[in-house]
Amino acid sequence: MSDTSKGIPQEQLPSQELHPPPMPVINLGHLSLDDPTVRSRVVNDIAKACCDLGYFQVISHGISQSVMDGAIEAASEFFKLPNEIKKEYASDDIRQPVRYDTSSKDGISMSRAFLKHYAHPLCDWLQYWPQQPPIYRQAVSSLKKEYMAKYAVEVRVVALKLMEAILEGLGIGKEYMHEKFEEGLQLLSVNCYPKVSQSDTSIGLAAHSDYGLLTILLTSCQGLEVVDRSSNSWKVVQQLPHALHVHVGDHMEVLSNGRIKTVVHRAVLNPQEARISLASIHGFALHEKVSSAKELVDEENPQKYKESSFNDFLEHLTANMDNRQRNFLESLRM
């Protein structure tokens, strides 16, 4: 679930796609080592990447290649289904537990098909997931088959580890609001971008930021770009084997009271092949408010944002269907 951004760089920004500079790659497995010095260094690396850039990639994250491949396969097989089957999940109601579309009704889609659905708690939402193709929705007892449900469960574990490290790096402790994170919301945005042709736009998804705290992205091939704040240009995200891309969202900026900034990103069409992406967006529960941590608010750093929830974000989208340039995060600034 995403939001267009007011005043953000647009498509005319220069791109670094010919020689994309490297971005931070963090070995998440080192967080579990007994050596406190190593753990401290990884926490500092994650915090620095969040504060300086707002994005990084993780390796040794604990999700097997077979699970990642299975999720991509399940998504790909869904988008290959006949249109009449996929349209069973089509809806203009953004509050539906499962929603499929192919148009630009959300204000930012340029050339993509998407399927959005909730994934946590899995036992509450699995019943709404597509029954076709058979590999997409598995009973909880069948998670060993390693398709979408298995990936959803495991990527959420990664998100919780990252949140602990980020909170620790901010100096507010990894146990900060632990229960709210444990009980929080997970939304899967499953996307299919066609192979670019000369007659098509090269943009699959226009510039935007995500509403949540963290987004973890798995993709089948290159196509994601982020705005590099230091050069004010589009930066191509490298496609590393077995890596997951991580970027922060609007609510992370709120929680950190502006120490961490939300990341503006877009999807460009790949000239060689169609692209599948799975964005796992993590935040608090539907009605749970996110506010700036009081530990990060003082006389020198007064509170910069109003508190808000995912429900507030949905209400913002509903109220601004005809004005997609009215940015959610901007509406929270004090």
Side-chain angles (χ1 to χ4, degrees):
M1 192 79 57
S2 307
D3 188 27
T4 50
S5 298
K6 181 179 180 180
I8 63 171
Q10 298 299 312
E11 272 52 53
Q12 66 267 25
L13 280 181
S15 176
Q16 302 173 349
E17 62 180 309
L18 293 179
H19 302 285
M23 64 176 60
V25 179
I26 294 170
N27 188 323
L28 203 58
H30 288 170
L31 280 179
S32 303
L33 297 179
D34 293 332
D35 188 336
T37 302
V38 174
R39 175 183 168 79
S40 178
R41 184 170 65 247
V42 175
V43 167
N44 290 336
D45 287 345
I46 292 173
K48 178 175 174 56
C50 286
C51 293
D52 292 353
L53 301 171
Y55 54 83
F56 53 94
Q57 294 196 335
V58 291
I59 57 174
S60 300
H61 40 66
I63 306 178
S64 71
Q65 190 64 52
S66 64
V67 170
M68 296 167 66
D69 292 344
I72 292 291
E73 180 186 355
S76 180
E77 290 300 311
F78 172 81
F79 290 113
K80 291 177 182 177
L81 291 173
N83 286 334
E84 57 267 23
I85 296 178
K86 291 182 290 189
K87 286 181 179 178
E88 293 177 8
Y89 302 98
S91 175
D92 292 330
D93 182 0
I94 61 175
R95 294 180 180 273
Q96 286 295 311
V98 177
R99 189 163 63 94
Y100 167 78
D101 206 348
T102 59
S103 69
S104 58
K105 292 177 183 177
D106 62 358
I108 57 174
S109 300
M110 306 295 285
S111 182
R112 70 162 178 166
F114 65 84
L115 179 72
K116 296 181 180 182
H117 56 73
Y118 299 110
H120 180 78
L122 187 62
C123 59
D124 290 346
W125 299 113
L126 193 65
Q127 61 183 311
Y128 301 107
W129 288 19
Q131 297 185 53
Q132 297 292 330
I135 64 171
Y136 198 97
R137 185 172 104 182
Q138 301 289 346
V140 175
S141 61
S142 301
L143 292 184
K144 62 182 181 180
K145 293 188 177 180
E146 300 184 347
Y147 290 110
M148 193 64 72
K150 178 73 167 174
Y151 175 76
V153 170
E154 295 196 6
V155 76
R156 187 170 182 276
V157 173
V158 175
L160 291 174
K161 288 181 182 178
L162 288 170
M163 279 305 310
E164 287 186 353
I166 293 168
L167 295 172
E168 190 175 344
L170 285 171
I172 56 180
K174 66 179 183 178
E175 297 300 321
Y176 180 83
M177 292 192 174
H178 180 74
E179 289 187 4
K180 290 187 178 181
F181 290 110
E182 283 281 353
E183 298 169 359
L185 180 146
Q186 178 185 10
L187 176 73
L188 287 184
S189 180
V190 184
N191 306 285
C192 180
Y193 299 97
K195 177 180 175 181
V196 70
S197 67
Q198 291 184 347
S199 60
D200 293 332
T201 175
S202 63
I203 305 300
L205 187 61
H208 66 286
S209 62
D210 294 340
Y211 87 90
L213 292 160
L214 276 183
T215 296
I216 301 179
L217 195 70
L218 169 65
T219 65
S220 62
C221 62
Q222 186 171 292
L224 177 67
E225 295 185 349
V226 294
V227 170
D228 179 68
R229 292 194 290 264
S230 63
S231 61
N232 200 35
S233 63
W234 287 108
K235 182 175 182 177
V236 176
V237 172
Q238 55 200 349
Q239 186 78 8
L240 296 180
H242 199 56
L244 295 170
H245 173 82
V246 181
H247 60 247
V248 301
D250 296 348
H251 272 159
M252 183 67 79
E253 182 168 332
V254 172
L255 179 68
S256 69
N257 200 34
R259 293 193 184 187
I260 296 174
K261 303 295 185 184
T262 193
V263 174
V264 177
H265 55 286
R266 69 179 182 180
V268 296
L269 302 184
N270 191 300
Q272 277 79 43
E273 59 185 304
R275 174 173 173 262
I276 297 291
S277 76
L278 279 66
S280 184
I281 304 174
H282 302 266
F284 282 2
L286 180 63
H287 295 284
E288 194 68 53
K289 299 284 188 178
V290 178
S291 59
S292 298
K294 64 180 186 301
E295 293 84 352
L296 303 178
V297 176
D298 54 33
E299 290 186 3
E300 293 184 359
N301 299 283
Q303 183 176 342
K304 298 180 175 68
Y305 308 89
K306 295 178 285 187
E307 65 177 11
S308 67
S309 65
F310 178 51
N311 186 67
D312 295 329
F313 171 73
L314 295 178
E315 290 184 351
H316 170 88
L317 288 185
T318 302
N320 293 277
M321 286 293 185
D322 297 326
N323 182 19
R324 290 294 182 178
Q325 295 304 310
R326 189 170 187 274
N327 174 255
F328 176 61
L329 183 60
E330 289 296 329
S331 73
L332 302 180
R333 298 187 192 278
M334 300 176 66

